[in-house]
Amino acid sequence: MLNSLVDTRDLKFVLFEVLKIQSLAQYKDFSDYDMESIEALIDLVEKISVNEFQKTFEAADREACTWDPVTKKVTAPQSLKPALDTYYEAGLMSLLMLESADGSQLPPRSAGAASLEYICAAAPNLMMYTILSAGVINLIKEFGTEEQQKLYLPGLISGQWGGTMCLTEADAGSDVGNLKAKAVKQDDGTYLITGQKIFISSGDNDLYSNMIHPVLARIEGDPAGTKGISIFLVPKYLIKEDGSNGDFNDVICAGIEHKLGIKGSATCTMVFGENNNCRGYLLGSERKGMKIMFQMMNTIRLGTALQAQGTSSAAYLNAVTYAKNRIQGSHVLNAMNPEAPKTEIINHPDVSRMLLWMKSYVDAQRIMINYNYFNQDLAKVLDGEERENAESVIELLVPLCKAGCSDTSILITSEAMQVFGGYGFCMDYPVEQFYRNCRILSIFEGANGIQAIDLIMRKILLNKDQKGYKTWKGVVEKTLDKAQDIVTDKYINHVRDGIENLDMVINKMKKRMEEGRILEIFTHATPFLRGFYILVLAWCHIWSMTEAIPCLEKIQKKNEGMDIKSLCSSDSESAFYAGRIQSGKFFIESQLPLFFAIAESIMNADSAALSVLPEMFTGAPEE
């Protein structure tokens, strides 16, 4: 099925020809999922996304969420309810779950995540509700008591109830340890919760009959900072023993934000215990709140990368369709001929360059993201050092996926708008909404500056054995070795040089840390992440080209005498593999050089950002 969301042929290429996830069927945990069953899953999600979910894209944006200041109730766009029902009826919640509640076999995470790219592209508002609910399910499944699992999971899995993630406060955004939410233990073992949380996605709505809020709070008397934080399950309505909703639990929405995009998902200010009657139930152990919440955060951060990828993919495909059909101007070689026929804008060199630029990022990101999910599958079925290797690579790549893909989605959607010209700036086409929707992704679920600091400090400099980085480098070396005699040497050598330069940068940063030059490391954290991300994508392109080149050569051998242009015009598989190869060549020759420039800037240790004074910035006085 051709669609404007995700290139299905490319998605299957990544899963089955690059990652070869069908090999997971050899393990008991995934024995029900061979290549045929995974393809069926992907085709089902594609069909539902195109025929059902995509209807909500514009409708939910135009209608948006509303909040009644009298009743304190939030109303979601009407278009979302049937879509949400379809989502649960089709069993798609299983694509986000880490473990089934009833012991049944779930599809591989890599297959589920790949399928979700369609939904991220078609219905970003819908994804906001479901991805958070899945996060709560996974938390309760892993850390909840048997009683909590029996009480909460059925309603969450069936879609009767929804979930959120309540971390942020007015004075405790990225600085979570400064939170003010308080928990007071009661004689019956419950806690009275008081406090306010802001920017809570899907915090209240009329799509679910109850909302289950995991809330970070400090138990009265516990120490300051993150070490004193616990996490509590706080339902909007208390739950009776039979699983039905009981009394109101003193949880209200005090207002919703008026946002740039993703308007069908209410971003709420939530007030807990306004009347000192909000009951919370400890999840896990006291003072382990941050550790527990980070399990959900990592899941959501990879989900954010998927949202960015889905939006980027849809923006790129819409731009391609427009460029193939929009006729304007004559070909540049006929520019001086007033009688020359007009041509589709895709034939103009600059437009072709823009499209190939978008494609090169979308193609490589699809491998990077799904490779990380594939490692989650491997971590589930492997043991010992192999499992540790898979887990270490996941840890390393999470910030690169979240920050890299979300930052780039802003650029890709902007470039897509440029292809549309003035029409792209108008609401006649979806590209302006892609741009608005994706802008939040680099901010929420841990702003990208935090991701960069996490990468360079916790994942590399403070990690003595650097297992994740060393394991990833080993995988890259195997890729480059396999590419020999298949991919042209210059592309392989560019990536090898990149790895050497990355090692030099890391060693330089180690030295700065030993010398106590911590501020320099923090100043260069974001450039470091951006450069590392580009290098990872270049590696993904080498991997892709290694699989695509032999396939194209095989087709060419069967069609001797046909040039590549004729072959691509008559055979879609030839066009696909040739496009993948061109995408890789373009990225390595035009984008990978950016990594070397970033590496040089870090090595030069520019200190201007450290010596600049607040007075040097001109700003209007506060009113």
Side-chain angles (χ1 to χ4, degrees), residues 10 83 189 199 220 252 265 290 312 339 401 404 484 494 513 524 530 534 547 556 569 600:
D10 191 71
F199 294 134
E220 190 175 41
I252 66 165
S265 168
M290 288 303 296
S312 297
E339 304 299 323
C401 288
Q484 295 293 152
H494 283 328
M513 189 167 73
H524 293 113
R530 289 175 177 169
I534 290 170
E547 299 299 330
Q556 288 177 307
S569 298
E600 183 178 0

Side-chain angles (χ1 to χ4, degrees), residues 483-496:
Q484 295 293 152
D485 301 324
I486 298 176
V487 180
T488 305
D489 285 347
K490 68 174 181 178
Y491 300 113
I492 297 173
N493 292 337
H494 283 328
V495 176
R496 287 195 191 280

Side-chain angles (χ1 to χ4, degrees), residues 297-569:
M297 282 293 291
N298 277 337
T299 300
I300 302 297
R301 284 171 178 173
L302 269 180
T304 302
L306 263 180
Q307 288 175 288
Q309 172 67 6
T311 303
S312 297
S313 172
Y316 158 67
L317 290 177
N318 274 268
V320 169
T321 300
Y322 183 81
K324 284 184 175 181
N325 290 280
R326 172 64 166 162
I327 298 175
Q328 187 176 40
S330 56
H331 194 281
V332 65
L333 296 179
N334 297 321
M336 303 305 293
N337 178 9
E339 304 299 323
K342 304 302 179 184
T343 187
E344 296 82 2
I345 63 172
I346 198 169
N347 294 317
H348 298 318
D350 193 51
V351 174
S352 179
R353 177 199 59 79
M354 286 192 285
L355 294 174
L356 188 55
W357 180 88
M358 287 185 274
K359 174 178 168 58
S360 71
Y361 278 92
V362 170
D363 284 356
Q365 287 181 167
R366 187 167 286 132
I367 294 176
M368 177 177 71
I369 294 169
N370 285 290
Y371 171 69
N372 213 353
Y373 280 108
F374 184 52
N375 273 288
Q376 289 189 5
D377 292 327
L378 293 177
K380 185 175 181 179
V381 298
L382 298 177
D383 297 312
E385 186 176 1
E386 289 181 314
R387 180 175 183 171
E388 290 176 6
N389 288 342
E391 291 174 339
S392 68
V393 169
I394 294 168
E395 283 290 309
L396 178 75
L397 293 183
V398 164
L400 287 160
C401 288
K402 193 280 179 183
C405 294
S406 60
D407 277 344
T408 305
S409 68
I410 302 167
L411 303 178
I412 291 174
T413 54
S414 178
E415 198 80 331
M417 187 181 291
Q418 192 71 21
V419 172
F420 278 81
Y423 287 114
F425 194 66
C426 301
M427 297 174 76
D428 305 66
Y429 291 94
V431 67
E432 60 86 25
Q433 191 179 330
F434 292 137
Y435 183 81
R436 288 188 288 108
N437 284 347
C438 77
R439 188 58 190 88
I440 188 62
L441 300 179
S442 63
I443 301 172
F444 75 3
E445 313 308 348
N448 285 356
I450 301 296
Q451 304 299 313
I453 293 169
D454 174 61
L455 174 67
I456 187 58
M457 295 301 292
R458 193 165 71 89
K459 305 296 173 59
I460 295 179
L461 297 182
L462 297 178
N463 188 333
K464 290 184 180 180
D465 62 4
Q466 294 186 348
K467 189 171 183 62
Y469 179 60
K470 291 177 180 178
T471 301
W472 173 76
K473 280 206 308 178
V475 174
V476 174
E477 282 300 322
K478 289 180 181 178
T479 303
L480 298 179
D481 289 345
K482 184 178 179 181
Q484 295 293 152
D485 301 324
I486 298 176
V487 180
T488 305
D489 285 347
K490 68 174 181 178
Y491 300 113
I492 297 173
N493 292 337
H494 283 328
V495 176
R496 287 195 191 280
D497 290 344
I499 296 295
E500 290 180 9
N501 274 260
L502 185 60
D503 282 338
M504 290 169 58
V505 169
I506 290 173
N507 287 333
K508 176 70 75 172
M509 285 190 157
K510 283 182 183 177
K511 186 175 180 181
R512 289 173 187 166
M513 189 167 73
E514 291 169 358
E515 296 171 350
R517 296 157 65 184
I518 302 298
L519 292 181
E520 288 184 25
I521 296 172
F522 275 59
T523 301
H524 293 113
T526 291
F528 176 81
L529 184 147
R530 289 175 177 169
F532 198 164
Y533 157 79
I534 290 170
L535 184 58
V536 170
L537 296 193
W539 157 62
C540 289
H541 274 299
I542 293 291
W543 195 356
S544 167
M545 292 165 71
T546 303
E547 299 299 330
I549 289 172
C551 293
L552 181 60
E553 290 176 345
K554 187 176 180 180
I555 296 172
Q556 288 177 307
K557 190 174 182 180
K558 290 182 179 179
N559 296 272
E560 291 183 12
M562 289 185 70
D563 59 41
I564 190 66
K565 184 176 181 180
S566 300
L567 198 56
C568 288
S569 298

Side-chain angles (χ1 to χ4, degrees), residues 268-299:
C268 303
T269 296
M270 302 300 300
V271 177
F272 300 89
E274 185 176 51
N275 298 306
N276 202 36
N277 194 31
C278 177
R279 296 277 172 172
Y281 304 85
L282 183 68
L283 181 64
S285 304
E286 294 181 353
R287 296 173 294 283
K288 299 296 183 182
M290 288 303 296
K291 180 180 180 181
I292 293 172
M293 184 59 82
F294 260 108
Q295 187 256 43
M296 184 174 180
M297 282 293 291
N298 277 337
T299 300

